[in-house]
Amino acid sequence: MKKILIIIPVIIIVLVLALGFSLDSIIKHGVETIGPRVIGAEVKLKEVDISPFSGKGQLKGLFIGNPKGFKSESAFMLNEVRIALNVKSIFSEKLIVDEIYIDAPDITYEKGGVSDNIKTILNNIKKFSGASEKTAGKESAEKSTEDEKKIQINRLTIKNGKVHMSMTALGGEGLNLDL
């Protein structure tokens, strides 16, 4: 009986450590496998570095392609995003985010036919989640603001952003703007 009481905590500690060390590869694999099914386009992620114990996380090299029928290379690319949470605030009434740093967001809006790439991606997400536009709108209107957790962001930095506007008829070419 004493052996079991000693073995169970050891097993729990080993499992928690194993999950902590493999969390980055689990997230990367999940984004790259489930992401394309959700949005209907290619999704790549170069690097993930998440530390649940410190509340810090970093994603590098996020690429979201365009759904079929659109000519531009991507809908969204991101060089890096870092986030730092105040871990103590996770279970409080207000979640405190110490920092969000976003480097080089690159957004492409492509108009093609009767729709555009962003709307097509959003519709694919709704289809995957099983929510229709009417249902999603009704649910959000019925949500009570008292039930929602407050979020405080202490520092938000967005650098080197670009927006591209294009038309499928022009082969994905168009106007480029710096943010």
Side-chain angles (χ1 to χ4, degrees):
M1 185 69 168
K2 284 184 179 182
K3 285 183 181 181
I4 292 175
L5 292 175
I6 293 172
I7 292 174
I8 291 176
V10 170
I11 290 173
I12 291 172
I13 291 169
V14 168
L15 289 174
V16 167
L17 289 174
L19 179 63
F21 289 119
S22 63
L23 187 60
D24 297 344
S25 60
I26 291 170
I27 291 171
K28 183 179 185 314
H29 180 73
V31 166
E32 292 182 336
T33 13
I34 297 170
R37 288 188 272 174
V38 172
I39 67 167
E42 180 181 19
V43 178
K44 295 180 190 173
L45 183 57
K46 286 185 182 173
E47 188 179 320
V48 177
D49 184 12
I50 305 290
S51 175
F53 304 113
S54 73
K56 294 182 178 179
Q58 180 179 35
L59 303 177
K60 286 187 175 181
L62 177 64
F63 172 90
I64 297 176
N66 266 319
K68 289 180 183 175
F70 295 96
K71 303 289 184 195
S72 51
E73 178 189 1
S74 67
F76 184 77
M77 292 188 295
L78 181 66
N79 182 48
E80 174 186 12
V81 63
R82 287 190 315 250
I83 188 165
L85 298 175
N86 180 324
V87 179
K88 295 176 186 173
S89 72
I90 290 175
F91 299 107
S92 69
E93 290 181 23
K94 179 170 43 174
L95 178 65
I96 298 173
V97 180
D98 292 323
E99 176 187 29
I100 299 175
Y101 173 84
I102 301 170
D103 181 40
D106 191 309
I107 304 161
T108 300
Y109 172 82
E110 182 178 335
K111 181 72 174 158
V114 295
S115 189
D116 60 71
N117 62 336
I118 305 299
K119 195 178 290 183
T120 301
I121 289 172
L122 291 173
N123 286 337
N124 289 342
I125 293 169
K126 286 177 187 174
K127 285 179 194 172
F128 184 85
S129 68
S132 70
E133 288 181 39
K134 291 180 182 177
T135 310
K138 194 181 278 186
E139 287 175 5
S140 64
E142 292 174 359
K143 261 189 180 178
S144 169
T145 55
E146 294 174 12
D147 295 341
E148 294 178 4
K149 188 168 188 158
K150 305 288 187 228
I151 299 176
Q152 173 183 320
I153 301 172
N154 292 335
R155 184 176 42 237
L156 171 64
T157 306
I158 302 172
K159 295 174 113 178
N160 307 316
K162 296 187 185 295
V163 175
H164 311 280
M165 299 175 70
S166 66
M167 294 184 67
T168 305
L170 298 175
E173 298 297 320
L175 180 65
N176 300 317
L177 304 167
D178 290 333
L179 280 177

